[in-house]
Amino acid sequence: MKARLAASAALALGIAIGGSGCAMITYQATTEKYDASDGISLDLGDVQVRNALVVSEDGQEGNLVASFTNTGEKRATVEIEVVESGETATVDVGAGETVSLGAGDEEPLLIEDLGAEVGGLAAMYFQQGSAEGREVQVPVLDGRLPEYEDLVP
């Protein structure tokens, strides 16, 4: 009787390990964060920048499209610098607020001297307060796609 019980337990354990073994050792792509849209995202202290991209017709003048969410309890200012030209801009975000730029009825943040190719990337540096700043490669798109045709400066 004991042998039968031990064999049943061993068989159940073997089925459980065999059925879940792949999930224990196989890489799970669903655990990775990624940007599901055309833009890039980054975190700067209490401020989260989401779906940042530039829409431009010629790669020189562009419209920065992004949303900035401040999860902190104090007003935050994000400084943005186009690495190629040194042009700078700032975005103020109230505590617990989200500011969207460049899309719909939102005010565009125009970049006059982007210095990038359409379809390429523009190096931009984002800094918020004392948080460590980050240089990222922001996609530069044009108005060929219907969702971006109204965003071209």
Side-chain angles (χ1 to χ4, degrees), residues 53 55 61-66 68 80 89-91 99-112 150-153:
L53 59 96
V55 181
E61 182 182 41
N63 175 15
L64 178 64
V65 178
F68 298 78
I80 305 164
T90 59
V91 177
V99 173
S100 296
L101 297 176
D105 295 334
E106 304 300 329
E107 195 67 32
L109 179 60
L110 295 179
I111 300 168
E112 299 293 328
D150 294 337
L151 304 178
V152 178

Side-chain angles (χ1 to χ4, degrees), residues 125-137:
Y125 186 79
F126 290 78
Q127 172 73 45
Q128 184 268 313
S130 62
E132 184 177 343
R134 292 201 33 211
E135 182 176 322
V136 292
Q137 300 294 320

Side-chain angles (χ1 to χ4, degrees), residues 68-148:
F68 298 78
T69 301
N70 182 354
T71 59
E73 297 178 5
K74 295 182 181 178
R75 183 172 217 54
T77 299
V78 178
E79 297 174 15
I80 305 164
E81 178 182 354
V82 179
V83 174
E84 178 73 22
S85 66
E87 183 177 350
T88 61
T90 59
V91 177
D92 290 320
V93 188
E97 293 183 0
T98 297
V99 173
S100 296
L101 297 176
D105 295 334
E106 304 300 329
E107 195 67 32
L109 179 60
L110 295 179
I111 300 168
E112 299 293 328
D113 192 10
L114 187 59
E117 291 185 30
V118 173
L121 301 169
M124 299 178 88
Y125 186 79
F126 290 78
Q127 172 73 45
Q128 184 268 313
S130 62
E132 184 177 343
R134 292 201 33 211
E135 182 176 322
V136 292
Q137 300 294 320
V138 178
V140 180
L141 306 173
D142 61 13
R144 282 185 251 183
L145 295 173
E147 54 268 29
Y148 299 130

